[in-house]
Amino acid sequence: MKLKPYLASEFSTTVLESRFQGIKERQQGFWGTIANEKVGWSYLVQLADAASLLVESVGMEESWKTAMDGVRWFSARGWQLDQAGEWLFLESPDMPGSLHRIRARLRRGYLRTFDRINRVFSNLLHDNWDDISSLSTSGEVVMASLNEGSPSTAVFYIDACRLDLGYRLAHLLNKGEPVKRASVQIARAPIPSITALGMPFALPLKRELLRVALSNDKNTFCVRAQGFSGDLALAQERRKWLEIHTGARKFLSIADVLDSDKLKNPGRSKAILIVHGDTFDIEGHEGQLKLEGAEEHLERYARAVRRLQSIGYKRIIIATDHGFFHWQPDADEVENKPSGELLWKSRRAIVGRDMMHPNAIKVPVMGSEMEAMVPRSVNAFRTYGGLGYFHGGATLQEMIVPVIIASWPAKAEKVEVVLKPLGHISSEAPRVEIQAASKQPAKLFADGNQLSRRVLVKVKELSTGRLIFRPKEPIAVEPGGAPVAISLHLVEPKPSVAFGTPLVVEVFDADNEEILDREEITLKVDIDEW
């Protein structure tokens, strides 16, 4: 069952979009799921999904009357284009060669769409910048959430979290839950959309209380808050401000949360825990984010959130400083610098006074008397910086950012999980079944006080503890859900295990490695390392 005959000889985005359902059905069939040598229908499903989003967006921006129309589209649906764009540019060494040409065309279509939409958005900002003045900063959204009661709270500050990443992270937190736990609110990053400004404006206070100026050497910005003498552009000063104004007593990295055995239940303490993550920004500048995508990092952030939730933090707030986009400018997309008093320069924004430029738009620098000139859409100025990873300007992707708010009830408990009796393993690719085991009678509707549980199943040699089988990834078990079948795989390098060897199957909580159930069984097949 080959892919090529199924494709139209005259490929187009609309043809691929129109065949999406048929392609998806084939991907779910024998050749896409069961066959030993699977056909790459899953790749074609992703390409067709991207084509569907591109077709849907054709001419969509023509109806916009204000910049807020663009923001509303982007926050409701448009962010999905960025998710599709990330996948289109990932390295996929096992993608069938017959799909490379299709992907190349979709990449060009995505870039044209990305530029076209942001060009219209730029023009609307130029006509009326005040149209977006009603949008809260990240800090104002965080402040409003903190003012809604006082459950034990952890606030994550993630550097460079684009809106699509925020929605994807919220999806991971809601996955398998009986009720919705995490929601996304949108906020506006200050211009220039960079960390030195974005992080101060993500602190829980009103924007009017912040004043922005250039440093004495004009290489960066200084941000002062009313009643606080420190420079909030500096991480250590932001920590001091948070200690004074929020009662925060502990500051951790994502690695600290995942690796530390010293995390304690917050109990009735109202002290806020602050967690910092900068993977998206570091890997964006180094090029790895474009090559490998964000999925692994999102899973890591979600694991950190679940770890804190499991030890007693009932509210998690995740804020960011700015977004970003990936681009490789052509020569005609690089602009000359504006005239006037230029005080600070970057590829995506130049700050100064009395500046003029034939194409760039002029916007206020929040909290100051200065102004910024920003190239329209994806254009860049002729100034320092490598190419590829952009932030600082005023595209939807750079400026409209997520704040994720997740909460759990105070008396919530994870669902119990049990292993269905197995007896023996007689295959090198066995399957086991697990299911939820509630202490309470089954309910007609989901119980919000019960939590799903992410589990791992490991099969070990009983006498030595040597790992033999494991799944590819954790599985979510929902309260009251149907039994879940899990495919197990031999570890690498392939072990040698004799017929009749006693084994033990163990079910673990994937977040804290608590053993939930176990069964001693027998291997009924010879496993030869060769």
Side-chain angles (χ1 to χ4, degrees):
M1 176 61 65
K2 296 182 179 180
L3 292 169
K4 199 167 184 179
Y6 190 74
L7 302 176
S9 57
E10 292 294 328
F11 167 78
S12 70
T13 302
T14 52
V15 167
L16 187 56
E17 186 271 341
S18 68
R19 298 190 172 202
F20 177 70
Q21 191 57 44
I23 294 168
K24 194 169 184 179
E25 290 172 0
R26 287 178 177 261
Q27 186 267 333
Q28 294 170 345
F30 175 81
W31 290 103
T33 59
I34 301 174
N36 289 331
E37 295 185 12
K38 298 181 179 65
V39 176
W41 289 106
S42 59
Y43 285 107
L44 195 55
V45 166
Q46 290 174 307
L47 292 173
D49 190 33
S52 178
L53 289 168
L54 291 173
V55 170
E56 179 185 314
S57 69
V58 171
M60 163 275 311
E61 73 283 0
E62 295 175 4
S63 64
W64 295 353
K65 303 299 182 185
T66 68
M68 278 303 299
D69 290 336
V71 172
R72 281 187 282 268
W73 167 81
F74 186 58
S75 60
R77 177 74 171 164
W79 61 267
Q80 295 181 33
L81 268 177
D82 294 319
Q83 182 178 5
E86 177 185 300
W87 186 84
L88 287 174
F89 284 88
L90 291 184
E91 290 190 342
S92 305
D94 57 342
M95 174 181 279
S98 57
L99 299 182
H100 286 189
R101 180 174 63 89
I102 296 175
R103 186 173 67 171
R105 292 191 180 187
L106 286 173
R107 283 175 171 177
R108 291 193 294 272
Y110 164 76
L111 292 174
R112 286 195 296 269
T113 300
F114 182 95
D115 182 22
R116 185 190 76 237
I117 288 172
N118 274 302
R119 192 165 296 281
V120 171
F121 181 67
S122 295
N123 292 339
L124 292 170
L125 284 179
H126 177 263
D127 293 340
N128 185 6
W129 173 261
D130 290 339
D131 181 49
I132 63 168
S133 60
S134 62
L135 281 175
S136 299
T137 64
S138 294
E140 289 167 337
V141 176
V142 173
M143 180 179 65
S145 180
L146 290 176
N147 288 338
E148 295 177 356
S150 55
S152 50
T153 301
V155 179
F156 283 59
Y157 283 106
I158 297 179
D159 203 340
C161 185
R162 198 170 57 184
L163 186 61
D164 68 300
L165 301 178
Y167 275 106
R168 290 157 64 184
L169 181 51
H171 172 74
L172 289 175
L173 298 177
N174 288 322
K175 189 176 181 180
E177 293 288 342
V179 297
K180 186 177 181 180
R181 306 292 186 189
S183 61
V184 177
Q185 297 187 37
I186 64 166
R188 173 162 67 98
I191 304 297
S193 47
I194 59 173
T195 299
L197 294 181
M199 282 300 182
F201 280 94
L203 295 174
L205 77 169
K206 294 181 179 180
R207 73 186 84 179
E208 292 84 3
L209 301 179
L210 291 171
R211 298 303 301 167
V212 174
L214 280 169
S215 59
N216 292 333
D217 59 10
K218 293 186 171 55
N219 286 330
T220 187
F221 294 89
C222 295
V223 185
R224 311 283 180 184
Q226 184 176 306
F228 183 77
S229 61
D231 179 5
L232 295 176
L234 304 175
Q236 64 267 28
E237 296 300 321
R238 293 196 294 273
R239 286 194 289 269
K240 291 179 184 177
W241 187 93
L242 286 163
E243 287 179 0
I244 295 170
H245 293 276
T246 71
R249 292 293 179 267
K250 186 171 286 188
F251 298 84
L252 302 176
S253 67
I254 298 295
D256 292 332
V257 173
L258 294 174
D259 303 335
S260 175
D261 295 326
K262 299 179 181 179
L263 290 175
K264 296 181 180 179
N265 186 310
R268 296 184 179 182
S269 171
K270 295 184 179 181
I272 293 174
L273 172 66
I274 305 295
V275 182
H276 179 248
D278 57 8
T279 305
F280 294 140
D281 199 49
I282 291 173
E283 296 221 338
H285 284 289
E286 293 178 352
Q288 291 302 113
L289 196 60
K290 185 173 182 180
L291 295 176
E292 300 173 359
E295 203 62 35
E296 181 178 336
H297 305 308
L298 290 170
E299 289 280 0
R300 189 165 179 262
Y301 286 143
R303 197 161 68 250
V305 170
R306 287 190 291 264
R307 177 91 190 275
L308 292 178
Q309 184 276 323
S310 69
I311 66 168
Y313 286 92
K314 300 306 179 186
R315 178 172 58 188
I316 308 289
I317 304 171
I318 304 172
T320 190
D321 51 354
H322 59 76
F324 64 89
F325 66 90
H326 295 289
W327 197 262
Q328 194 73 23
D330 294 328
D332 60 354
E333 293 171 337
V334 179
E335 303 271 7
N336 291 321
K337 289 180 284 190
S339 60
E341 185 183 4
L342 311 185
L343 302 175
W344 179 89
K345 309 178 189 68
S346 76
R347 295 173 295 168
R348 291 287 296 150
I350 291 179
V351 172
R353 297 185 182 90
D354 301 322
M355 296 184 295
M356 299 292 292
H357 193 279
N359 298 315
I361 63 175
K362 185 182 294 187
V363 300
V365 176
M366 193 182 295
S368 81
E369 302 301 321
M370 297 179 290
E371 58 194 16
M373 296 293 291
V374 181
R376 294 177 194 249
S377 188
V378 298
N379 285 14
F381 288 125
R382 295 181 188 276
T383 185
Y384 71 89
L387 300 179
Y389 176 75
F390 286 84
H391 62 86
T395 60
L396 287 161
Q397 288 77 8
E398 294 167 282
M399 192 173 65
I400 305 303
V401 294
V403 178
I404 305 164
I405 300 172
S407 59
W408 292 266
K411 296 182 179 180
E413 292 183 352
K414 286 186 177 181
V415 66
E416 291 190 356
V417 175
V418 296
L419 177 69
K420 297 191 76 173
L422 188 61
H424 63 269
I425 283 177
S426 57
S427 165
E428 291 191 7
R431 290 162 65 88
V432 300
E433 281 194 337
I434 57 176
Q435 67 180 99
S438 175
K439 298 177 182 178
Q440 304 295 330
K443 296 184 178 181
L444 181 60
F445 299 103
D447 183 354
N449 288 325
Q450 273 200 309
L451 307 178
S452 64
R453 191 189 294 265
R454 296 169 68 252
V455 301
L456 281 171
V457 177
K458 299 179 182 180
V459 180
K460 303 176 181 178
E461 195 171 24
L462 182 60
S463 61
T464 65
R466 179 173 57 139
L467 183 62
I468 308 299
F469 296 97
R470 65 174 298 152
K472 288 185 176 179
E473 58 186 15
I475 301 294
V477 179
E478 301 179 25
V484 179
I486 302 175
S487 297
L488 302 180
H489 305 271
L490 282 165
V491 298
E492 293 292 344
K494 184 179 178 181
S496 179
V497 194
F499 183 98
T501 298
L503 304 175
V504 60
V505 184
E506 293 180 329
V507 182
F508 294 85
D509 185 299
D511 297 322
N512 59 21
E513 297 195 352
E514 174 191 356
I515 296 179
L516 307 173
D517 200 2
R518 70 191 302 274
E519 180 187 357
E520 294 181 12
I521 63 171
T522 304
L523 182 65
K524 296 287 189 178
V525 64
D526 268 318
I527 300 176
D528 190 333
E529 62 181 322
W530 297 104

